[in-house]
Amino acid sequence: MQTNSEEYGPRDLVGYGFNPPNPEWPGGAKIAISLVSSEHTLVNGDEVSETLASELGPGVTPHVNQRDVNMESLYEYGSRAGVWRILRLFQERSVTCTAYAVGQALEMNPEVGQVLKEHGHEFASHGWRWIDRSKWTVEEEEENVRKTIRAIGKASGAPPKGWYYGMVGSKASPRSRALVAKVFREEGIPLEYWCDDYSDDLPYWIPMPGGQKEEGLLVIPYTLDTNDYKNATYQPFTTSDDFYTYLKDAFDELYREGTKGSPKMLSIGLHCRIVGRPARIAGLRKFIEYAQSKQGVWFARRDEIARHWKGKFPYDPK
């Protein structure tokens, strides 16, 4: 039996150090912006209702063996209205995103998958369902990985290139990265990148879990600060201007670094039921318009960032 440390690998507290590499983004861009757009319910066989990431805020008590129809409807807003408002904005501003797609959600609302595909957005995996996976057996987790791959393949025409389980409600275990890599290998599918990481402003390589010595797995870090999820937890963005100002400040600092020869990546996390609300999307609209008013800004899907990084900085097993 492997220990958690052996399954997940050692920690790296050093990273790129004082002089990170110049990523040489396409066209000499000063910054790369990555826009990244489920629940517990008795209807799906759970024993408790959802409590996280809603207008009800933190501290919600779960309903045991009873449906929370109010919570269910708050989540339904995302799939009924919010997602379309976001996708219309992206179409209007001619930007594409990486959709962290939940497999079961794609099956329950296939029109979302159709529009994502038609508009050129990327499908990355957010697991089969957004639930606590930490107590699953190895077999249960592997089967859910396979179900997710099939669902995304059906919706998009191709398996996902990247994976993000997420924090808080999903609770991926330390073994999850190795298990996902194992299933991809058994299915004959390349796992191009991994996003359950918040440790840097640039991608970086790690050895492929369970792979050959010459195989590497690219980590593309995500973020929880430039993320609308905060609206449903702590330190919320009370107004659309709060969200816009925070995104703008992050952009300005990273853009300044880029003009000095050290470009970075800015990830922005979006949830359909949260930023899809009319007042909140106003802040996102203002930010996209602001960023597009600057020279040298690359709005990129995460698969595009992965492809670029692999071309410029291939894995070196040393």
Side-chain angles (χ1 to χ4, degrees):
M1 174 66 71
Q2 290 180 311
T3 65
N4 285 348
S5 176
E6 290 170 330
E7 290 174 329
Y8 202 75
R11 296 182 67 187
D12 180 0
L13 302 181
V14 178
Y16 290 122
F18 189 74
N19 295 301
N22 184 334
E24 302 177 40
W25 297 133
K30 305 299 188 294
I31 187 172
I33 298 178
S34 173
L35 297 169
V36 183
S37 300
S38 193
E39 71 190 291
H40 289 83
T41 171
L42 270 71
V43 175
N44 291 334
D46 301 317
E47 295 179 354
V48 298
S49 63
E50 185 58 79
T51 62
L52 299 171
S54 79
E55 302 297 328
L56 299 177
V60 178
T61 302
H63 293 197
V64 180
N65 295 320
Q66 181 181 354
R67 291 176 63 180
D68 185 343
V69 293
N70 289 326
M71 181 65 79
E72 289 177 9
S73 67
L74 287 169
Y75 270 69
E76 288 161 8
Y77 185 89
S79 62
R80 292 168 59 101
V83 64
W84 306 122
R85 185 169 289 118
I86 296 169
L87 290 176
R88 286 193 293 269
L89 172 60
F90 289 171
Q91 184 180 36
E92 176 187 330
R93 302 308 306 176
S94 299
V95 296
T96 53
C97 76
T98 292
Y100 283 164
V102 175
Q104 188 182 60
L106 281 176
E107 291 190 347
M108 296 175 73
N109 194 346
E111 186 180 0
V112 172
Q114 294 170 9
V115 175
L116 285 169
K117 181 180 179 181
E118 290 170 1
H119 290 195
H121 302 292
E122 179 203 2
F123 293 71
S125 172
H126 201 14
W128 174 244
R129 290 186 60 206
W130 191 60
I131 55 176
D132 185 351
R133 306 171 178 90
S134 61
K135 296 180 181 179
W136 282 357
T137 66
V138 169
E139 292 74 22
E140 287 174 325
E141 185 165 1
E142 288 181 348
E143 178 54 27
N144 276 269
V145 172
R146 290 190 172 88
K147 288 166 66 175
T148 308
I149 291 172
R150 289 195 292 268
I152 291 178
K154 181 179 179 181
S156 69
K161 295 183 175 70
W163 200 277
Y164 175 70
Y165 262 148
M167 296 181 64
V168 192
S170 60
K171 293 183 181 177
S173 73
R175 74 185 181 205
S176 292
R177 188 162 65 190
L179 282 182
V180 171
K182 175 176 177 288
V183 173
F184 268 69
R185 195 158 45 246
E186 291 174 350
E187 296 290 324
I189 303 168
L191 179 59
E192 300 287 351
Y193 64 88
W194 182 263
C195 291
D196 277 284
D197 184 274
Y198 312 89
S199 66
D200 214 306
D201 299 310
L202 289 173
Y204 64 90
W205 290 101
I206 62 171
M208 177 67 75
Q212 301 298 317
K213 181 180 179 181
E214 65 276 6
E215 288 185 281
L217 176 59
L218 186 65
V219 176
I220 303 182
Y222 190 42
T223 183
L224 296 179
D225 76 311
T226 47
N227 194 315
D228 69 354
Y229 192 92
K230 288 163 67 84
N231 279 301
T233 54
Y234 56 92
Q235 300 175 338
F237 302 110
T238 306
T239 70
S240 62
D241 279 339
D242 291 337
F243 190 42
Y244 163 68
T245 299
Y246 196 90
L247 297 180
K248 177 179 177 296
D249 286 349
F251 173 91
D252 286 345
E253 288 299 317
L254 294 178
Y255 190 82
R256 183 176 293 110
E257 292 179 14
T259 62
K260 295 181 178 180
S262 186
K264 301 296 192 306
M265 177 182 72
L266 173 61
S267 295
I268 299 175
L270 307 169
H271 298 77
C272 301
R273 65 189 178 279
I274 301 176
V275 81
R277 294 281 177 175
R280 294 197 183 109
I281 204 167
L284 178 62
R285 178 187 300 277
K286 283 184 278 191
F287 170 75
I288 293 176
E289 291 174 351
Y290 173 76
Q292 289 183 326
S293 73
K294 303 293 184 178
Q295 298 294 320
V297 177
W298 182 37
F299 280 86
R301 303 187 313 257
R302 293 175 99 74
D303 62 334
E304 293 174 320
I305 292 172
R307 184 163 57 247
H308 171 83
W309 199 267
K310 290 179 179 183
K312 293 290 184 179
F313 306 97
Y315 179 61
D316 180 6
K318 297 181 181 179

